[in-house]
Amino acid sequence: MIKRTLYFGNPAYLSFQNKQLVINIPSLQDKEDKGELNTIPIEDIGVLILDNQQITFTQVLLSALLENNTAVISCDASHHPTGLFLPLDVHTVQSEKFRSQIEASLPLKKNLWQQTIQSKINNQAAHLQRRNVSIENMIYWSASVKSGDPDNYEARAAAYYWKNLFPAEMSFFRERSGAPPNNLLNYGYAILRAMTARALVGSGLLPTFGIHHRNKYNAYCLADDIMEPYRPYIDVLVADIVDTGEEIIEITKSLKAALLSIASRDVRIGGEKSPLMNALQRTSASLARCYEGETRKISYPVLE
C-alpha cells in the first residue's frame, strides 16, 4: 500500500487519538467556531510536512508518527524544508543491520557507487531523450564508469544534462541559490531526500554513513547517495512545469502539490511498476542485503 504524503500550510492543531491523526483547523470566518475536525489513520501516513509557523502538535502524536516510520518534515518561515524527524529503532535486528553497514568494505562501497552513478546517468539520459536531445555521450559515460567513479563521469554527465535540459533562452545553471527553476528543484529534492531517509531507516540502516558522501556536517550522507538515481524523476516534474509557462518565481500551493505528487508517481523497478515511495523501500532493502553479503546488486528504478 502506498503511504500518504500530508501537507499542512495553514494554522492547525494536530493530535493523536485511537491510532488516528486528529486534525483541527480553526475557522477563519468565525473565531467562536471550534474548527473543522478530520482524522487519518497513522498507519497510512508516510510523510508529514509542516509548513506554517502556527501549527501545534502533541508529543504523543510525534511518538506515534515515528513508531510508524513517518518522515516528519518541518519548514522554515520561507516555506523551505529545514528539519526532519526520523525514528531511531524500527527494525527487529537493528544492531546487526548497523554493524554490517558500518563494517562494509571499501571495495564494496566503491562498487555500489559505480552502480549508483551508472543508474543516475542512464536516467538522466532517458529524460534528455524524452526531450529530443542527443544522448550518445551520456550512454558512453555511463558504460565507462569504473568502481568508485574515479574519472568523475558523474560531473561530466551533469554538465551536459543541465546545459540541455531546459530551453536555451533560460541560460539555466544548476546552483542551489540560483535563479528559478532551481527553487523547484531544491524543494523537490528536499522531499525526495526525506523519503529516501525514511526508506533507509525502515530497512534498518543509518542515513548518516554513506557509500560515497562523507561530509562531516551532513547527517544524511547515505540518503544523498541513494537518492541520486531518483533525482531525474524530480527533474521530469520540474521540466514539465517549466513547459507549461506557469510562473515559478515563488513556490505556490499548486506548485508544491505538483512536487509532492512525486511519492505516488509510478516508476519501473525490477521489471515492475511501483509508486516511487515503495520503490525507495525496495532500493534500501536491496542495499541492506548488499551490506550483509547476500548480493552485490542495488535495485534502482529505470526511467522510461
Side-chain angles (χ1 to χ4, degrees):
M1 181 186 73
I2 179 65
K3 297 284 188 175
R4 297 178 62 177
T5 299
L6 301 182
Y7 171 84
F8 292 93
N10 293 314
Y13 180 81
L14 309 179
S15 58
F16 176 77
Q17 187 175 13
N18 298 327
K19 299 183 179 180
Q20 305 272 321
L21 165 64
V22 181
I23 307 167
N24 186 343
I25 302 177
S27 171
L28 298 179
Q29 287 76 32
D30 184 359
K31 293 184 179 180
E32 299 300 322
D33 185 54
K34 294 183 178 180
E36 179 184 352
L37 290 175
N38 292 290
T39 61
I40 299 172
I42 292 291
E43 64 181 359
D44 291 351
I45 308 171
V47 179
L48 179 68
I49 303 171
L50 308 173
D51 188 12
N52 190 286
Q53 302 298 294
Q54 297 182 54
I55 293 175
T56 302
F57 59 94
T58 63
Q59 173 63 27
V60 67
L61 170 62
L62 181 59
S63 296
L65 289 168
L66 294 179
E67 288 176 8
N68 183 60
N69 193 23
T70 299
V72 181
I73 302 172
S74 177
C75 297
D76 58 21
S78 60
H79 307 290
H80 290 286
T82 186
L84 173 63
F85 293 94
L86 287 173
L88 291 174
D89 181 10
V90 294
H91 203 281
T92 54
V93 288
Q94 191 79 72
S95 61
E96 288 184 21
K97 296 283 185 179
F98 285 174
R99 187 177 299 110
S100 63
Q101 178 185 356
I102 293 170
E103 295 177 353
S105 67
L106 182 58
L108 172 61
K109 289 190 283 188
K110 285 186 175 182
N111 177 265
L112 295 175
W113 186 242
Q114 176 187 20
Q115 295 179 51
T116 299
I117 295 308
Q118 287 178 322
S119 179
K120 177 184 180 180
I121 295 175
N122 286 335
N123 285 345
Q124 288 176 325
H127 188 196
L128 289 181
Q129 189 172 42
R130 281 186 176 189
R131 308 184 75 79
N132 299 315
V133 176
S134 174
I135 61 169
E136 289 184 11
N137 51 348
M138 297 285 282
I139 299 302
Y140 172 78
W141 289 332
S142 172
S144 300
V145 176
K146 298 176 183 178
S147 180
D149 190 22
D151 302 306
N152 203 10
Y153 281 107
E154 179 190 17
R156 301 189 204 186
Y160 180 80
Y161 177 71
W162 291 119
K163 181 179 179 181
N164 292 277
L165 182 56
F166 297 108
E169 58 269 22
M170 290 183 65
S171 300
F172 178 79
F173 182 75
R174 174 60 188 147
E175 186 178 35
R176 183 172 180 81
S177 57
N182 278 292
N183 54 344
L184 300 185
L185 293 167
N186 294 341
Y187 193 92
Y189 292 155
I191 301 303
L192 177 60
R193 190 188 200 208
M195 291 193 297
T196 306
R198 173 189 176 276
L200 292 169
V201 168
S203 294
L205 302 176
L206 286 164
T208 301
F209 296 108
I211 57 178
H212 177 75
H213 288 91
R214 294 180 177 82
N215 189 331
K216 66 180 180 180
Y217 302 108
N218 183 1
Y220 299 101
C221 289
L222 185 58
D224 289 340
D225 288 334
I226 300 306
M227 69 182 277
E228 293 290 356
Y230 286 88
R231 286 178 181 266
Y233 293 94
I234 296 293
D235 305 340
V236 169
L237 279 176
V238 173
D240 288 347
I241 290 171
V242 170
D243 286 345
T244 66
E246 182 175 354
E247 179 59 60
I248 58 174
I249 299 298
E250 299 291 337
I251 304 181
T252 62
K253 287 185 178 181
S254 64
L255 290 176
K256 289 178 182 178
L259 293 170
L260 290 172
S261 71
I262 190 64
S264 58
R265 279 289 183 103
D266 279 340
V267 303
R268 184 165 293 278
I269 183 169
E272 301 175 351
K273 282 193 174 182
S274 172
L276 186 139
M277 185 180 288
N278 292 356
L280 277 167
Q281 196 62 62
R282 293 181 62 176
T283 296
S284 62
S286 69
L287 174 61
R289 292 194 295 272
C290 289
Y291 285 142
E292 294 164 350
E294 297 180 13
T295 181
R296 293 182 67 87
K297 177 69 174 177
I298 303 183
S299 181
Y300 279 127
V302 177
L303 184 65
E304 297 178 316

